[in-house]
Amino acid sequence: MHIVCCIKQVPDTAQVKIDPETNTLIRYGVESICNPYDLVAAEASVQLAEKYGGKVTVITMGPPQAESALRDCLALGAREAILLSDRAFAGADTLATSYCLSSAISKISSAEPVDLVLCGKQAIDGDTAQTGPGVATRLGYNQLTYVSRIENVDVGEGIIVVTREVEGGAQVVESQLPALLTIELQYARPRYASLPELVRALRQEILVWGAADIGAQPFRLGLKGSPTMVKEIFAPKVHRGGLVFDSAGGQAVEDFLDKLFEKEQALFNAE
Ligand SMILES: Cc1cc2nc3c(=O)[nH]c(=O)nc-3n(C[C@H](O)[C@H](O)[C@H](O)COP(=O)(O)OP(=O)(O)OC[C@H]3O[C@@H](n4cnc5c(N)ncnc54)[C@H](O)[C@@H]3O)c2cc1C
């Protein structure tokens, strides 16, 4: 089984800063990490390869430094890593990103057919959860989103059964391969990489592909291929926290009840 796992490097901060001119994230001076959902997707991919046989190829579209996120996934047990990096990719919205990724996966699949593509449920910076479904649509793969468990894969029959998280419960779905899955955080806890795997990950050559390598149409890439117009981005206002009843003097419960009755009385008086 050949599994491609799409990963994204994201800023390691909850305090994202926005460039007011371009309405894009300021990434300079902020540490980068592999998107936590994608580490789980990489762990899920490696577990699948271990259980059913096969190999995992990790892929990312990003600047040259995104290589370190690929190495994190190689250390988990992925066998190959591909960095899609080209100035033509810069400024991509989710449409252009998914076009670029799907073009690369088509190329990978023409050399070694792909059975499964795994993505994280969402990236913690952009947060749209659109990229996975966009890639599946362009590849013509079945898409299974919000997957919390893979029940079974029958590679011979080309069938996968998964559990999806849906509002108010869970849904068990059977689908034909090839399929694209987006993976929930609770799927697995990424393993600690062993020393030999860390060394292999550091030494392994990473393929770098540009626009010409994936046969992409230039007008569908980067800013040119991005119809999204960002009007404004802002951090939500922080509202004042609730009241704190300090238990130090042993009065917390009484103080809380006094406040409650006070409010109730105020409501009663207002009627
Ligand atoms: C007008 C515009 C300009 C932008 N310019 C830039 C820019 O210059 N630089 C920049 O970094 N971002 C830019 N962005 C943000 C960029 O479009 C998104 O980061 C990207 O499309 C992914 O969307 P997301 O972060 O919401 O990921 P989601 O859709 O939430 O991600 C879901 C999953 O898709 C996969 N995935 C997402 N992105 C990638 C990737 N790059 N490689 C591999 N797998 C991936 C991962 O598995 C991830 O867990 C821009 C956005 C807009 C609207």
Side-chain angles (χ1 to χ4, degrees), residues 67-76 201-206:
E67 187 189 302
S68 71
L70 289 171
R71 292 200 189 279
D72 290 344
C73 299
L74 286 171
L76 292 182
L202 281 174
R203 288 189 177 152
Q204 185 158 336
E205 191 198 346
I206 288 180

Side-chain angles (χ1 to χ4, degrees), residues 6-8 24 27 35 37-38 41 59-63 89-95 97-98 101 118-132 223 226 228-230:
C6 298
I7 63 145
K8 183 186 181 192
T24 53
R27 290 163 200 269
N35 180 35
Y37 285 90
D38 301 349
I59 180 169
T60 191
M61 184 194 91
F89 301 156
D93 65 3
T94 55
L95 190 81
T97 302
S98 48
L101 289 170
L118 265 61
C119 291
K121 182 183 83 171
Q122 68 195 71
I124 60 166
D125 55 350
D127 231 12
T128 65
Q130 290 176 357
T131 308
L223 210 51
S226 298
T228 314
M229 302 287 292
V230 181

Side-chain angles (χ1 to χ4, degrees), residues 71-257:
R71 292 200 189 279
D72 290 344
C73 299
L74 286 171
L76 292 182
R79 290 292 122 186
E80 279 186 24
I82 300 169
L83 171 66
L84 305 171
S85 204
D86 192 314
R87 294 191 80 84
F89 301 156
D93 65 3
T94 55
L95 190 81
T97 302
S98 48
Y99 170 67
C100 180
L101 289 170
S102 60
S103 304
I105 295 168
S106 293
K107 174 172 168 155
I108 296 169
S109 198
S110 63
E112 199 171 347
V114 172
D115 303 288
L116 274 175
V117 176
L118 265 61
C119 291
K121 182 183 83 171
Q122 68 195 71
I124 60 166
D125 55 350
D127 231 12
T128 65
Q130 290 176 357
T131 308
V135 172
T137 303
R138 276 164 195 78
L139 288 169
Y141 288 10
N142 294 319
Q143 53 179 289
L144 302 162
T145 49
Y146 309 115
V147 170
S148 55
R149 205 165 55 226
I150 295 174
E151 305 296 341
N152 189 36
V153 184
D154 188 330
V155 188
E157 293 293 321
I159 285 172
I160 183 165
V161 182
V162 304
T163 297
R164 298 181 65 226
E165 295 306 303
V166 292
E167 217 170 311
Q171 187 183 44
V172 178
V173 187
E174 181 181 295
S175 170
Q176 290 284 320
L177 299 176
L180 181 143
L181 278 48
T182 73
I183 302 293
E184 288 274 3
L185 221 42
Q186 72 256 42
Y187 183 102
R189 184 185 281 248
R191 68 193 67 185
Y192 287 106
S194 66
L195 191 58
E197 288 290 278
L198 280 170
V199 173
R200 182 184 66 80
L202 281 174
R203 288 189 177 152
Q204 185 158 336
E205 191 198 346
I206 288 180
L207 285 174
V208 182
W209 289 352
D213 298 306
I214 55 173
Q217 297 170 296
F219 70 92
R220 296 181 70 183
L221 293 171
L223 210 51
K224 279 189 205 154
S226 298
T228 314
M229 302 287 292
V230 181
K231 198 159 168 258
E232 190 185 1
I233 302 186
F234 56 90
K237 279 203 184 96
V238 180
H239 296 287
R240 204 163 54 86
L243 290 173
V244 176
F245 297 95
D246 192 352
S247 63
Q251 274 289 312
V253 174
E254 284 84 347
D255 291 349
F256 168 70
L257 289 174

